[in-house]
Amino acid sequence: VWIFFHDFSLKRAESVKLLSLAKSINGGENDGQMPSERHWYHDIHGVYKSMFKEPLVFWIHVIQTIMPAQDLAPLINTKFGLGASFIASIASVRSVFRIALPWTPLIPFLIESMGYRKVGNNNESSATQLEKSQRKVAALMCIFMASVGAIVPFSSTPSTFLHMMTFKGITAMIKDSTSKAIVSSLAKQDSIGAFFGFQHCIKGFAGVSSNMITGLLISYSPEAPYYFTTFCELGLAVVYLFA
């Protein structure tokens, strides 16, 4: 939120300075050629429009709005009779991987394995190749997550459940990292802070509907959110490849 409004405040301050400078040059009179002062809501509207002109950004947010949140407790309690301590162990393992993964060459290796090669000094061509490779990696991780999500409800032991959720967590981290890199490349350099701020704001609202859908599905079956998430992840894979 701070980055979001800080970016706009800097733009507003710059606009006011230009306006004052133009007035001083023209003797304090506005001859119609001076830059007009823009309000922060004009900038917000501009970023909002530019963000949703991108099909990838639009469909990612649509799918995230209906994708159920991952609530482990009902399924774990129903299948194994376990509670908070087991859930905490899963969260701990995933946190370790979340910290360690960026220090490994795994993500660059996956991107290069999808065909990315830096083309000399041609930055535009390299950027295009990089985005294509990142999209393929994100789509592959979505397919992995969909596959794991479909078989998680059939886990026979807590150990199996732990290993599958850990693997799903690793693929989710890789997908999120590549997704953020793709989206950042779509933003204009002078409004990248506002672009991401707006995305986090929308994600917050999407989280409300996501949790409501989760509660509705769990009322039918603890396994239902996992099956529904599988279809959402497959939809995201299609979006990353073709949007």
Short mmCIF file of all heavy atoms in Angstrom, two decimals, residues 10-50:
data_model
loop_
_atom_site.label_atom_id
_atom_site.label_comp_id
_atom_site.label_asym_id
_atom_site.label_seq_id
_atom_site.Cartn_x
_atom_site.Cartn_y
_atom_site.Cartn_z
N LEU A 10 4.86 10.83 -5.66
CA LEU A 10 6.03 11.33 -6.38
C LEU A 10 5.61 11.93 -7.73
O LEU A 10 6.11 12.98 -8.14
CB LEU A 10 7.03 10.19 -6.61
CG LEU A 10 7.78 9.68 -5.37
CD1 LEU A 10 8.67 8.52 -5.76
CD2 LEU A 10 8.61 10.80 -4.75
N LYS A 11 4.70 11.26 -8.41
CA LYS A 11 4.22 11.77 -9.69
C LYS A 11 3.50 13.11 -9.50
O LYS A 11 3.66 14.04 -10.27
CB LYS A 11 3.27 10.77 -10.34
CG LYS A 11 3.96 9.56 -10.92
CD LYS A 11 2.94 8.71 -11.63
CE LYS A 11 3.62 7.51 -12.28
NZ LYS A 11 2.66 6.68 -12.99
N ARG A 12 2.70 13.19 -8.45
CA ARG A 12 1.94 14.42 -8.20
C ARG A 12 2.89 15.56 -7.87
O ARG A 12 2.72 16.68 -8.37
CB ARG A 12 0.97 14.18 -7.04
CG ARG A 12 0.12 15.41 -6.72
CD ARG A 12 -0.91 15.07 -5.66
NE ARG A 12 -1.59 16.27 -5.20
CZ ARG A 12 -2.60 16.85 -5.85
NH1 ARG A 12 -3.00 16.35 -6.99
NH2 ARG A 12 -3.18 17.93 -5.37
N ALA A 13 3.91 15.28 -7.05
CA ALA A 13 4.88 16.32 -6.71
C ALA A 13 5.62 16.80 -7.95
O ALA A 13 5.86 18.00 -8.13
CB ALA A 13 5.86 15.79 -5.67
N GLU A 14 5.98 15.88 -8.82
CA GLU A 14 6.67 16.25 -10.05
C GLU A 14 5.78 17.11 -10.94
O GLU A 14 6.23 18.08 -11.55
CB GLU A 14 7.10 14.98 -10.80
CG GLU A 14 7.89 15.26 -12.07
CD GLU A 14 8.30 13.99 -12.77
OE1 GLU A 14 8.03 12.89 -12.23
OE2 GLU A 14 8.88 14.09 -13.86
N SER A 15 4.49 16.74 -11.01
CA SER A 15 3.55 17.50 -11.82
C SER A 15 3.39 18.93 -11.30
O SER A 15 3.35 19.89 -12.06
CB SER A 15 2.19 16.80 -11.84
OG SER A 15 1.24 17.54 -12.54
N VAL A 16 3.32 19.09 -9.97
CA VAL A 16 3.17 20.41 -9.36
C VAL A 16 4.41 21.26 -9.63
O VAL A 16 4.33 22.46 -9.92
CB VAL A 16 2.92 20.27 -7.85
CG1 VAL A 16 2.99 21.63 -7.17
CG2 VAL A 16 1.56 19.63 -7.60
N LYS A 17 5.61 20.65 -9.56
CA LYS A 17 6.84 21.38 -9.84
C LYS A 17 6.88 21.88 -11.27
O LYS A 17 7.26 23.02 -11.55
CB LYS A 17 8.05 20.48 -9.57
CG LYS A 17 8.35 20.26 -8.10
CD LYS A 17 9.56 19.34 -7.92
CE LYS A 17 9.84 19.08 -6.45
NZ LYS A 17 10.99 18.15 -6.28
N LEU A 18 6.48 21.02 -12.22
CA LEU A 18 6.45 21.42 -13.62
C LEU A 18 5.47 22.55 -13.86
O LEU A 18 5.73 23.48 -14.62
CB LEU A 18 6.10 20.22 -14.51
CG LEU A 18 7.16 19.13 -14.64
CD1 LEU A 18 6.59 17.93 -15.39
CD2 LEU A 18 8.38 19.67 -15.38
N LEU A 19 4.32 22.47 -13.19
CA LEU A 19 3.31 23.51 -13.32
C LEU A 19 3.82 24.84 -12.79
O LEU A 19 3.65 25.88 -13.42
CB LEU A 19 2.04 23.08 -12.58
CG LEU A 19 0.85 24.05 -12.65
CD1 LEU A 19 0.39 24.22 -14.10
CD2 LEU A 19 -0.30 23.55 -11.79
N SER A 20 4.48 24.80 -11.62
CA SER A 20 5.03 26.03 -11.03
C SER A 20 6.12 26.62 -11.91
O SER A 20 6.19 27.84 -12.10
CB SER A 20 5.59 25.72 -9.64
OG SER A 20 4.60 25.22 -8.80
N LEU A 21 6.97 25.76 -12.47
CA LEU A 21 8.05 26.22 -13.34
C LEU A 21 7.48 26.87 -14.59
O LEU A 21 7.94 27.94 -15.03
CB LEU A 21 8.95 25.05 -13.71
CG LEU A 21 10.11 25.35 -14.66
CD1 LEU A 21 11.06 26.36 -14.03
CD2 LEU A 21 10.86 24.08 -15.01
N ALA A 22 6.47 26.25 -15.18
CA ALA A 22 5.86 26.80 -16.39
C ALA A 22 5.21 28.14 -16.11
O ALA A 22 5.29 29.06 -16.92
CB ALA A 22 4.84 25.81 -16.94
N LYS A 23 4.57 28.26 -14.96
CA LYS A 23 3.93 29.53 -14.60
C LYS A 23 4.96 30.64 -14.43
O LYS A 23 4.76 31.77 -14.85
CB LYS A 23 3.12 29.36 -13.33
CG LYS A 23 1.80 28.64 -13.52
CD LYS A 23 1.03 28.57 -12.21
CE LYS A 23 -0.32 27.90 -12.42
NZ LYS A 23 -1.08 27.80 -11.15
N SER A 24 6.10 30.30 -13.78
CA SER A 24 7.14 31.32 -13.57
C SER A 24 7.76 31.76 -14.89
O SER A 24 8.08 32.94 -15.08
CB SER A 24 8.23 30.76 -12.64
OG SER A 24 8.90 29.67 -13.26
N ILE A 25 7.90 30.82 -15.83
CA ILE A 25 8.48 31.17 -17.14
C ILE A 25 7.53 32.06 -17.93
O ILE A 25 7.94 32.98 -18.62
CB ILE A 25 8.79 29.88 -17.94
CG1 ILE A 25 9.92 29.11 -17.26
CG2 ILE A 25 9.16 30.21 -19.39
CD1 ILE A 25 10.21 27.76 -17.89
N ASN A 26 6.23 31.81 -17.79
CA ASN A 26 5.23 32.56 -18.55
C ASN A 26 4.64 33.72 -17.77
O ASN A 26 3.55 34.18 -18.07
CB ASN A 26 4.11 31.62 -18.99
CG ASN A 26 4.55 30.64 -20.06
OD1 ASN A 26 4.54 30.95 -21.24
ND2 ASN A 26 4.97 29.45 -19.64
N GLY A 27 5.34 34.15 -16.76
CA GLY A 27 4.88 35.31 -16.00
C GLY A 27 3.66 35.05 -15.17
O GLY A 27 2.89 35.98 -14.86
N GLY A 28 3.47 33.79 -14.78
CA GLY A 28 2.35 33.45 -13.90
C GLY A 28 1.03 33.27 -14.61
O GLY A 28 0.00 33.12 -13.99
N GLU A 29 1.05 33.31 -15.97
CA GLU A 29 -0.20 33.15 -16.71
C GLU A 29 -0.22 31.81 -17.43
O GLU A 29 0.80 31.33 -17.90
CB GLU A 29 -0.36 34.27 -17.73
CG GLU A 29 -0.49 35.65 -17.07
CD GLU A 29 -0.83 36.71 -18.09
OE1 GLU A 29 -1.13 36.32 -19.25
OE2 GLU A 29 -0.82 37.88 -17.75
N ASN A 30 -1.39 31.27 -17.52
CA ASN A 30 -1.56 29.99 -18.20
C ASN A 30 -2.01 30.25 -19.63
O ASN A 30 -3.10 30.75 -19.88
CB ASN A 30 -2.63 29.16 -17.47
CG ASN A 30 -2.66 27.73 -17.98
OD1 ASN A 30 -2.19 27.43 -19.07
ND2 ASN A 30 -3.22 26.85 -17.17
N ASP A 31 -1.11 29.96 -20.61
CA ASP A 31 -1.43 30.22 -22.01
C ASP A 31 -1.97 28.99 -22.73
O ASP A 31 -2.07 28.96 -23.96
CB ASP A 31 -0.20 30.73 -22.76
CG ASP A 31 0.96 29.73 -22.72
OD1 ASP A 31 0.76 28.67 -22.08
OD2 ASP A 31 2.01 30.01 -23.33
N GLY A 32 -2.29 27.97 -21.97
CA GLY A 32 -2.84 26.77 -22.56
C GLY A 32 -1.80 25.75 -22.96
O GLY A 32 -2.13 24.65 -23.36
N GLN A 33 -0.49 26.13 -22.85
CA GLN A 33 0.56 25.22 -23.24
C GLN A 33 1.25 24.56 -22.05
O GLN A 33 2.11 23.72 -22.22
CB GLN A 33 1.62 25.97 -24.08
CG GLN A 33 1.05 26.63 -25.32
CD GLN A 33 0.45 25.62 -26.26
OE1 GLN A 33 1.01 24.55 -26.47
NE2 GLN A 33 -0.72 25.94 -26.82
N MET A 34 0.90 25.00 -20.85
CA MET A 34 1.56 24.49 -19.66
C MET A 34 0.95 23.17 -19.25
O MET A 34 -0.24 22.91 -19.52
CB MET A 34 1.43 25.48 -18.50
CG MET A 34 2.14 26.81 -18.76
SD MET A 34 1.92 27.93 -17.39
CE MET A 34 0.18 28.21 -17.42
N PRO A 35 1.75 22.30 -18.60
CA PRO A 35 1.20 21.02 -18.14
C PRO A 35 0.15 21.24 -17.07
O PRO A 35 0.32 22.08 -16.19
CB PRO A 35 2.43 20.30 -17.57
CG PRO A 35 3.40 21.37 -17.24
CD PRO A 35 3.17 22.46 -18.23
N SER A 36 -0.94 20.55 -17.14
CA SER A 36 -2.01 20.69 -16.16
C SER A 36 -1.75 19.77 -14.98
O SER A 36 -1.16 18.71 -15.13
CB SER A 36 -3.36 20.33 -16.80
OG SER A 36 -3.33 19.02 -17.28
N GLU A 37 -2.21 20.18 -13.82
CA GLU A 37 -2.02 19.38 -12.61
C GLU A 37 -2.98 18.21 -12.62
O GLU A 37 -4.18 18.36 -12.84
CB GLU A 37 -2.29 20.26 -11.38
CG GLU A 37 -2.06 19.51 -10.08
CD GLU A 37 -2.34 20.37 -8.88
OE1 GLU A 37 -2.61 21.56 -9.05
OE2 GLU A 37 -2.28 19.83 -7.76
N ARG A 38 -2.45 17.02 -12.41
CA ARG A 38 -3.26 15.80 -12.39
C ARG A 38 -3.49 15.36 -10.95
O ARG A 38 -2.61 15.46 -10.11
CB ARG A 38 -2.55 14.67 -13.14
CG ARG A 38 -2.51 14.87 -14.63
CD ARG A 38 -1.67 13.79 -15.28
NE ARG A 38 -2.17 12.46 -14.99
CZ ARG A 38 -3.13 11.87 -15.68
NH1 ARG A 38 -3.70 12.50 -16.69
NH2 ARG A 38 -3.52 10.65 -15.38
N HIS A 39 -4.68 14.88 -10.70
CA HIS A 39 -5.00 14.35 -9.39
C HIS A 39 -4.61 12.88 -9.30
O HIS A 39 -4.51 12.19 -10.31
CB HIS A 39 -6.49 14.52 -9.10
CG HIS A 39 -6.91 15.96 -8.98
ND1 HIS A 39 -6.60 16.72 -7.88
CD2 HIS A 39 -7.58 16.76 -9.83
CE1 HIS A 39 -7.08 17.95 -8.05
NE2 HIS A 39 -7.68 17.99 -9.22
N TRP A 40 -4.41 12.41 -8.07
CA TRP A 40 -3.95 11.04 -7.89
C TRP A 40 -4.92 10.02 -8.45
O TRP A 40 -4.53 8.97 -8.93
CB TRP A 40 -3.69 10.76 -6.40
CG TRP A 40 -4.89 10.90 -5.52
CD1 TRP A 40 -5.30 12.00 -4.86
CD2 TRP A 40 -5.83 9.87 -5.19
NE1 TRP A 40 -6.44 11.75 -4.15
CE2 TRP A 40 -6.79 10.45 -4.33
CE3 TRP A 40 -5.95 8.53 -5.54
CZ2 TRP A 40 -7.86 9.73 -3.83
CZ3 TRP A 40 -7.02 7.80 -5.04
CH2 TRP A 40 -7.96 8.41 -4.19
N TYR A 41 -6.24 10.34 -8.43
CA TYR A 41 -7.19 9.35 -8.93
C TYR A 41 -7.12 9.20 -10.45
O TYR A 41 -7.51 8.17 -11.00
CB TYR A 41 -8.63 9.66 -8.47
CG TYR A 41 -9.11 11.06 -8.74
CD1 TYR A 41 -9.60 11.42 -10.00
CD2 TYR A 41 -9.09 12.03 -7.73
CE1 TYR A 41 -10.05 12.71 -10.23
CE2 TYR A 41 -9.54 13.32 -7.97
CZ TYR A 41 -10.02 13.65 -9.22
OH TYR A 41 -10.46 14.92 -9.45
N HIS A 42 -6.63 10.23 -11.14
CA HIS A 42 -6.40 10.09 -12.57
C HIS A 42 -5.30 9.07 -12.83
O HIS A 42 -5.38 8.25 -13.76
CB HIS A 42 -6.02 11.43 -13.20
CG HIS A 42 -7.13 12.43 -13.20
ND1 HIS A 42 -6.94 13.78 -13.03
CD2 HIS A 42 -8.48 12.26 -13.34
CE1 HIS A 42 -8.10 14.41 -13.08
NE2 HIS A 42 -9.05 13.51 -13.25
N ASP A 43 -4.25 9.15 -12.02
CA ASP A 43 -3.14 8.20 -12.16
C ASP A 43 -3.59 6.78 -11.83
O ASP A 43 -3.20 5.82 -12.50
CB ASP A 43 -1.98 8.60 -11.24
CG ASP A 43 -1.34 9.90 -11.68
OD1 ASP A 43 -1.20 10.10 -12.89
OD2 ASP A 43 -0.99 10.71 -10.81
N ILE A 44 -4.40 6.64 -10.78
CA ILE A 44 -4.91 5.31 -10.41
C ILE A 44 -5.73 4.72 -11.56
O ILE A 44 -5.57 3.56 -11.93
CB ILE A 44 -5.77 5.39 -9.12
CG1 ILE A 44 -4.87 5.68 -7.92
CG2 ILE A 44 -6.55 4.11 -8.91
CD1 ILE A 44 -5.63 5.79 -6.62
N HIS A 45 -6.59 5.55 -12.13
CA HIS A 45 -7.43 5.08 -13.23
C HIS A 45 -6.58 4.68 -14.43
O HIS A 45 -6.86 3.68 -15.10
CB HIS A 45 -8.42 6.18 -13.62
CG HIS A 45 -9.41 5.75 -14.66
ND1 HIS A 45 -9.34 6.17 -15.98
CD2 HIS A 45 -10.49 4.92 -14.58
CE1 HIS A 45 -10.33 5.62 -16.66
NE2 HIS A 45 -11.04 4.87 -15.84
N GLY A 46 -5.52 5.44 -14.70
CA GLY A 46 -4.63 5.12 -15.81
C GLY A 46 -3.92 3.79 -15.62
O GLY A 46 -3.84 2.97 -16.54
N VAL A 47 -3.40 3.55 -14.41
CA VAL A 47 -2.73 2.28 -14.13
C VAL A 47 -3.72 1.13 -14.18
O VAL A 47 -3.42 0.05 -14.71
CB VAL A 47 -2.02 2.33 -12.75
CG1 VAL A 47 -1.46 0.96 -12.40
CG2 VAL A 47 -0.91 3.36 -12.77
N TYR A 48 -4.91 1.35 -13.65
CA TYR A 48 -5.96 0.32 -13.65
C TYR A 48 -6.29 -0.10 -15.08
O TYR A 48 -6.37 -1.29 -15.40
CB TYR A 48 -7.20 0.87 -12.95
CG TYR A 48 -8.37 -0.09 -12.92
CD1 TYR A 48 -8.46 -1.07 -11.94
CD2 TYR A 48 -9.40 0.00 -13.86
CE1 TYR A 48 -9.53 -1.94 -11.90
CE2 TYR A 48 -10.47 -0.88 -13.83
CZ TYR A 48 -10.53 -1.84 -12.85
OH TYR A 48 -11.59 -2.70 -12.83
N LYS A 49 -6.46 0.88 -15.98
CA LYS A 49 -6.80 0.57 -17.37
C LYS A 49 -5.66 -0.15 -18.07
O LYS A 49 -5.87 -1.13 -18.79
CB LYS A 49 -7.14 1.87 -18.12
CG LYS A 49 -8.48 2.46 -17.75
CD LYS A 49 -8.74 3.75 -18.51
CE LYS A 49 -8.83 3.50 -20.01
NZ LYS A 49 -9.12 4.75 -20.76
N SER A 50 -4.42 0.33 -17.85
CA SER A 50 -3.27 -0.29 -18.52
C SER A 50 -3.05 -1.72 -18.02
O SER A 50 -2.65 -2.60 -18.78
CB SER A 50 -2.01 0.54 -18.30
OG SER A 50 -1.63 0.53 -16.93
#
